[in-house]
Amino acid sequence: MSILVLANLAFACVARPTGDFGRAEPGIVHDTAMPMAGDMLARARKEPVSRFNITDQEREMHDRVWRFLVAPHAQDWLFDSSVELQRTRIIPPRDERYTTDRYYAWLKRTQYQSSRTRYSTVGNHASIDIETLPTTFAAICAVIAVDQQRAIALGNLSPRLPETAAAEVAARRAENDAFIAWFVRALNYRYDSYNFALDSLLVETPHEQSLAVDETLRRLSVYVGRANRHDFCGNGGQMAGYSNVVIPSRYQHKGDTEIVLQK
């Protein structure tokens, strides 16, 4: 299948379908065809593309982060179609150009019986983000550790590996770094959009509920600050602390040859 055919197929089905609780539904178009076209287009743009199989940790990170990249509950205020094209690398990143007024515009045009409900909506959305951020941070931390383990394994085992191994390790590290950076931008965009909405509501329909929402956003800001520092492992943004993982030598003839994570 040519790259043009794959790209046309991707553009015909851009929005990623969701199932229960807003989770992504698997499918050949979004999980195979679009990523295949995206890899070809990314290579054409001279971007790093790794041929490594994805690890369980990387898959978990992608699944955890995905909900922060889209917002089906708010009718595409996070540009869901553009996000899917960016996720599959059909297009380069475009989220830097998003404006923070879209979430408030959705709130404003949504009909509620009480104007106080808009405050509750902002607070609920931010609270759900707060509840899911610890596991999302942990998933990102695990991927950082995997990248460190790859670097250690490459250093110890490179004499027996193909010449392309170093380039593949670097490409996957670049892909993971880019995905993590995308999550940081998405989290900042959400936080800024919530703040814009709260400020606008205070002018349009002042209510005492603003105090509770402001406190929720303050709690969210703690995670935003950590994300901006890349402090996903709770150690101030330092190395993930997995440098002492045992990578056995291929020349080892005695003892256990399993990779053992330190407890």
Side-chain angles (χ1 to χ4, degrees):
M1 189 179 294
S2 70
I3 187 172
L4 182 60
V5 172
L6 286 172
N8 288 337
L9 176 63
F11 276 98
C13 309
V14 280
R16 194 178 188 186
T18 57
D20 295 339
F21 307 108
R23 289 178 292 200
E25 283 189 342
I28 189 170
V29 171
H30 293 270
D31 296 330
T32 303
M34 291 179 69
M36 186 184 302
D39 284 352
M40 294 179 184
L41 291 168
R43 287 192 180 94
R45 295 192 298 264
K46 308 299 183 184
E47 297 174 2
V49 178
S50 174
R51 293 178 174 85
F52 276 172
N53 287 322
I54 190 170
T55 66
D56 293 343
Q57 295 92 331
E58 288 161 340
R59 192 180 307 279
E60 176 77 6
M61 178 184 74
H62 292 170
D63 291 343
R64 295 283 182 181
V65 166
W66 188 75
R67 71 163 303 278
F68 288 92
L69 307 178
V70 296
H73 61 278
Q75 299 179 11
D76 202 29
W77 70 270
L78 273 171
F79 306 87
D80 295 353
S81 297
S82 177
V83 162
E84 183 61 0
L85 292 173
Q86 183 173 332
R87 180 190 72 84
T88 55
R89 306 183 75 174
I90 300 290
I91 62 173
R94 290 185 178 177
D95 58 284
E96 298 97 332
R97 300 196 292 270
Y98 292 175
T99 59
T100 58
D101 59 340
R102 284 174 60 89
Y103 179 68
Y104 172 66
W106 169 77
L107 278 173
K108 184 177 177 65
R109 69 174 178 264
T110 301
Q111 296 299 314
Y112 291 105
Q113 291 185 345
S114 170
S115 56
R116 288 178 169 85
T117 308
R118 291 185 177 85
Y119 286 93
S120 300
T121 299
V122 178
N124 288 338
H125 287 167
S127 294
I128 293 172
D129 288 346
I130 292 170
E131 291 174 1
T132 57
L133 277 168
T135 52
T136 304
F137 274 37
I140 293 173
C141 180
V143 170
I144 293 172
V146 165
D147 281 329
Q148 293 173 1
Q149 292 172 27
R150 283 196 183 104
I152 295 170
L154 179 67
N156 291 345
L157 306 176
S158 56
R160 297 289 298 272
L161 296 174
E163 294 181 357
T164 58
E168 292 292 342
V169 168
R172 177 51 58 84
R173 175 66 177 267
E175 290 174 337
N176 287 338
D177 286 349
F179 195 82
I180 293 170
W182 188 13
F183 165 73
V184 173
R185 295 195 303 270
L187 184 59
N188 275 277
Y189 180 65
R190 277 178 178 255
Y191 176 70
D192 292 342
S193 296
Y194 294 152
N195 272 299
F196 182 91
L198 179 58
D199 291 345
S200 300
L201 288 173
L202 281 169
V203 173
E204 182 177 359
T205 56
H207 287 300
E208 66 277 6
Q209 280 81 359
S210 61
L211 296 175
V213 178
D214 183 67
E215 170 59 21
T216 301
L217 294 183
R218 185 200 63 77
R219 292 191 290 120
L220 180 59
S221 71
V222 175
Y223 288 98
V224 175
R226 283 185 56 188
N228 288 331
R229 296 191 303 272
H230 279 221
D231 179 16
F232 301 109
C233 303
N235 55 8
Q238 302 301 312
M239 298 296 284
Y242 287 83
S243 59
N244 58 344
V245 169
V246 177
I247 304 294
S249 169
R250 286 295 303 273
Y251 301 104
Q252 181 177 335
H253 297 289
K254 296 181 180 180
D256 190 0
T257 58
E258 281 191 331
I259 298 176
V260 180
L261 297 179
Q262 301 299 310
K263 296 183 179 180

